[in-house]
Amino acid sequence: MLAAAARHGRTRHGPLLAADCTRLPLPGASVHGIFSAGLLDHLPDPYAALREWARVSAPDGVLLLFHPSGRAERAARHGRPLDPADLLAEENLRPALERAGWHLDAYEDADGRFLARAVLRRRTGGGSGAAQPARPSPAGASR
């Protein structure tokens, strides 16, 4: 797949990489965006992936979780009801992202697509590299 992408010019903006998404061979704070299409549900430890993606993301990092069909549509296609324990359910995804250092700022679970957008929470000093919650802006301040 990577060879085909390279043949189609997909290396113009950066190198292509095949790696374990829970142990990326990248330095911390080196990636500005991560796009995950239909992956999280298939990982043995999706929380490890969320933490690793936070580790490699720059302070302005954005995470997009995408699937070309919504959760209800996928459940119906497989002949099962929606699972309340599904990681991609907003009430499960939001705290999972927060624990990994992300803030969920957009969530859409429609028949035609699933899309969640999270931003990396601002890091504070201390050298641990762990993401910390962003401090709220003063009243009336714009971002």
Side-chain angles (χ1 to χ4, degrees):
M1 187 179 333
L2 292 180
R7 282 193 306 275
H8 287 90
R10 303 293 192 248
T11 58
R12 285 187 303 242
H13 302 293
L16 301 174
L17 173 69
D20 179 341
C21 69
T22 64
R23 290 179 284 155
L24 294 169
L26 299 170
S30 62
V31 175
H32 294 277
I34 295 173
F35 179 79
S36 171
L39 175 66
L40 217 51
D41 290 352
H42 301 286
L43 297 174
D45 186 358
Y47 305 101
L50 294 173
R51 288 188 305 270
E52 178 66 355
W53 297 342
R55 181 191 72 79
V56 301
S57 290
D60 62 345
V62 174
L63 171 63
L64 295 175
L65 302 174
F66 173 79
H67 197 284
S69 54
R71 293 173 48 251
E73 182 181 352
R74 288 194 312 277
R77 188 171 53 237
H78 294 287
R80 58 179 167 73
L82 273 174
D83 180 358
D86 179 359
L87 175 61
L88 296 180
E90 185 173 9
E91 61 272 13
N92 301 328
L93 184 59
R94 184 176 300 280
L97 287 165
E98 291 288 334
R99 283 191 305 273
W102 297 97
H103 171 71
L104 182 65
D105 73 350
Y107 183 91
E108 182 179 359
D109 186 12
D111 283 343
R113 75 180 156 276
F114 172 89
L115 180 64
R117 180 183 188 273
V119 293
L120 191 64
R121 294 183 308 179
R122 195 170 58 210
R123 292 182 172 122
T124 61
S128 70
Q132 299 297 322
R135 294 198 173 112
S137 299
S142 62
R143 291 184 166 208

